[in-house]
Amino acid sequence: LKTRGFWPAPAMASFSHSSMALPLVPGMSASACVIWCHGLGDSPHGWASFCSGLYKNLTHVNFILPQAPENPVTCNGGMSMPSWMDLIEIPIRESSPDNGLQQAESLEIINGFVQQQLASGIPPERIVLAGFSQGGALSLSAAVKSPVKLGGCICLSGWALPKQDLGAAVKDSPSKDSPFLFCHGEADTVVYSSLGPAAAALVTASGASDVTLKTYPGMAHSSCPQEEADVLTFLKRVLPPL
């Protein structure tokens, strides 16, 4: 990506939020979009290389990488940093409390990016929400609660936010039958390795009909080449060239 850089996502009069976008290959026009959310304390640059690797095989897809707002984070002593939501404790366990702070605001941001893509002519079934860690948790909630049926959702090393009550939300979600991909490292001690499978089980039990779970032995709170390959396979399936 060093030779291509980033360009700002296109602006809309009713929506403005910091993001980066991978520019399309000259002569190509986007027929699909992936909105990719980073994790706590990170920035779009943190997933630039990963998304660039995907883009090489998906040149019809526009990758938008939003920047999380600066928010105080309880588990870090109230320090402000890029964060989609407050976290009371790390590591995240199934028993971890959730105060729900900043979640509604961040969901509005992601929905704003979805609406931006719809306004540019990308149909909802050609939009995938994706993210890592708290970005994955946010993307999962945003996909389930989207007012339009989306093309899919990718949750890497994430979890189901308790305050969002996704079990109930899935049942009436327009995206209930959209494809969901959950990936998690089996050695993750930051977002416990049980949480990805638990989130996959939750949406499946609540009526989601197309759920894929991938776990990776020895992988901690990170990514690996096999995960990238699995994400690429998923995106090729749900966002084929037109």
Side-chain angles (χ1 to χ4, degrees):
L1 209 58
K2 291 179 180 178
T3 59
R4 293 191 12 242
F6 287 99
W7 292 340
M12 286 188 354
S14 59
F15 175 74
S16 177
H17 187 83
S18 176
S19 68
M20 292 179 174
L22 303 187
L24 295 173
V25 168
M28 292 292 295
S29 60
S31 65
C33 178
V34 173
I35 300 170
W36 194 287
C37 297
H38 63 76
L40 175 66
D42 202 358
S43 75
H45 293 283
W47 285 89
S49 178
F50 187 96
C51 289
S52 180
L54 298 173
Y55 178 75
K56 290 176 183 177
N57 297 279
L58 298 162
T59 54
H60 61 288
V61 178
N62 192 17
F63 282 82
I64 304 294
L65 289 75
Q67 171 67 57
E70 293 282 321
N71 280 313
V73 180
T74 298
C75 68
N76 287 337
M79 182 184 302
S80 289
M81 62 187 64
S83 179
W84 296 110
M85 66 202 66
D86 192 24
L87 298 177
I88 296 176
E89 65 178 22
I90 289 180
I92 307 293
R93 306 174 174 86
E94 290 191 52
S95 61
S96 290
D98 178 14
N99 59 21
L101 293 180
Q102 297 114 31
Q103 292 178 15
E105 294 86 348
S106 292
L107 286 169
E108 287 182 9
I109 290 171
I110 302 310
N111 185 56
F113 279 103
V114 171
Q115 295 302 318
Q116 186 183 68
Q117 292 302 303
L118 295 176
S120 76
I122 303 295
E125 65 273 12
R126 301 281 292 171
I127 299 172
V128 168
L129 301 185
F132 172 77
S133 193
Q134 66 163 220
L138 176 65
S139 295
L140 175 60
S141 292
V144 169
K145 297 198 166 188
S146 172
V148 294
K149 182 178 180 179
L150 298 176
C153 176
I154 300 170
C155 181
L156 305 186
S157 303
W159 70 99
L161 296 170
K163 281 290 185 181
Q164 295 304 315
D165 194 11
L166 295 188
V170 166
K171 295 175 182 177
D172 297 318
S173 173
S175 298
K176 179 173 65 175
D177 296 322
S178 299
F180 289 81
L181 174 64
F182 295 85
C183 300
H184 217 107
E186 294 179 11
D188 195 336
T189 57
V190 177
V191 176
Y192 272 23
S193 59
S194 60
L195 289 176
L202 174 65
V203 298
T204 300
S206 301
S209 62
D210 187 347
V211 179
T212 301
L213 171 66
K214 300 283 188 179
T215 63
Y216 307 95
M219 191 177 89
H221 195 61
S222 184
S223 187
C224 67
Q226 184 57 57
E227 181 179 66
E228 182 173 357
D230 290 336
V231 169
L232 178 59
T233 296
F234 178 83
L235 289 174
K236 283 183 173 180
R237 174 167 75 93
V238 303
L239 299 177
L242 294 179

